[in-house]
Amino acid sequence: MLFYMSIFDLVFYFWKEGKILSHDPETQQVDIEVLSSLPALKEPGKFDLVYHNENGTEVVEYAVTQEKRITVRWKELIDPRLIIDPSSSISSK
């Protein structure tokens, strides 16, 4: 599955590729394993939050999640495209 995710209206960053792990038809939530990697981050961006600990280290809270597994509502995905992998289809016996 290919999908866009954006935290800002009218701004699309890049396509992400993911695998649907589960879908709840009642809540319309899908669990997705993000397969595409994010570009390497050299430093926090404009919308990332940086906290300074008492010992001087920095903790960064990225505006765009860095997680490999996410749960979102189907309608939050922008222009999702389902790609079916024939090698992963389950055969009925």
Side-chain angles (χ1 to χ4, degrees):
M1 176 172 135
L2 294 174
F3 61 97
Y4 276 124
M5 279 201 61
S6 172
I7 59 168
F8 309 104
D9 292 337
L10 306 175
V11 178
F12 304 114
Y13 291 106
F14 47 83
W15 281 99
K16 290 186 180 183
E17 184 178 354
K19 178 180 178 182
I20 298 175
L21 302 174
S22 66
H23 173 256
D24 184 340
E26 188 172 307
T27 64
Q28 292 298 304
Q29 286 188 326
V30 289
D31 289 322
I32 300 172
E33 177 185 0
V34 179
L35 301 175
S36 54
S37 61
L38 296 171
L41 299 173
K42 296 179 183 169
E43 59 184 57
K46 184 189 312 187
F47 299 104
D48 298 328
L49 300 176
V50 179
Y51 302 101
H52 297 276
N53 289 331
E54 291 176 3
N55 63 5
T57 60
E58 290 184 348
V59 176
V60 180
E61 184 178 322
Y62 293 100
V64 177
T65 183
Q66 306 293 304
E67 298 294 321
K68 287 292 188 185
R69 184 176 175 158
I70 58 174
T71 301
V72 294
R73 295 182 60 190
W74 181 259
K75 68 181 183 178
E76 292 174 3
L77 301 176
I78 302 168
D79 195 22
R81 299 184 183 179
L82 186 61
I83 300 170
I84 299 175
D85 181 6
S87 65
S88 67
S89 62
I90 301 172
S91 60
S92 58
K93 294 183 180 183

